[in-house]
Amino acid sequence: MSREYPDRPWIGIGVVVFRGEEVLLVRRGRPPRLGAWSLPGGAQRLGERAEEAARRELREETGVEVGPLRLVAVVDSLTHDAEGALRFHYTIVDYAAEWLAGEAAPGDDVSAVAWAGLSALAPFGLTREAQEVIAAAASGRRMASA
């Protein structure tokens, strides 16, 4: 089944990775959102648990390893073509975690990676949904350390 013009949603996994007061971002290397900055992540494989998919995608896309994963949000990502037909539909399960090891470097289907300060995300042009997920993850992080 094709991810493009699907007959059902695909399950995507995203990870908000914190390193101090920075968050890890990736520039997409293929559709949907080719060239856009986003959170690392990708499609879950058949038989793969969601947390396993999160760790695999993070490793493949950035080379980074993280500690325990915390569920942050579930977001529907819908992309329509010029005629209004649904081109992509992902239901994205977003986790948050703290960086443990690895030098972030682009791999797999990303063209660039960046560590960005939580107060310096505007230049990356993140979607409203990505900004909300990062804010929720940061809020949960503060609550956990209080």
Side-chain angles (χ1 to χ4, degrees):
M1 178 176 142
S2 174
R3 291 184 192 189
E4 232 176 325
Y5 302 100
D7 61 4
R8 64 167 178 81
W10 281 81
I11 303 299
I13 306 291
V15 186
V16 181
V17 179
F18 292 105
R19 185 181 71 178
E21 293 304 309
E22 297 177 311
V23 65
L24 182 60
L25 301 176
V26 297
R27 182 179 286 153
R28 294 275 155 227
R30 66 174 99 158
R33 305 197 60 246
L34 174 67
W37 287 96
S38 184
L39 296 169
Q44 182 179 14
R45 295 177 179 162
L46 185 64
E48 184 177 49
R49 295 186 183 280
E51 288 194 11
E52 292 169 348
R55 292 181 187 285
R56 175 186 53 77
E57 284 289 344
L58 188 58
R59 209 173 24 256
E60 288 175 0
E61 290 190 351
T62 69
V64 166
E65 299 288 337
V66 294
L69 295 167
R70 178 176 51 84
L71 181 63
V72 174
V74 177
V75 176
D76 284 299
S77 176
L78 307 169
T79 304
H80 294 86
D81 65 18
E83 289 77 40
L86 187 59
R87 183 174 175 197
F88 296 99
H89 181 177
Y90 288 92
T91 299
I92 303 170
V93 178
D94 285 305
Y95 291 98
E98 299 291 328
W99 173 87
L100 281 183
E103 284 299 319
D108 197 23
D109 62 347
V110 302
S111 61
V113 297
W115 288 102
L118 291 173
S119 61
L121 297 175
F124 292 93
L126 298 170
T127 64
R128 177 184 51 81
E129 293 87 357
Q131 292 175 47
E132 289 172 356
V133 167
I134 292 169
S139 176
R141 184 181 189 218
R142 285 190 297 272
M143 290 173 59
S145 66

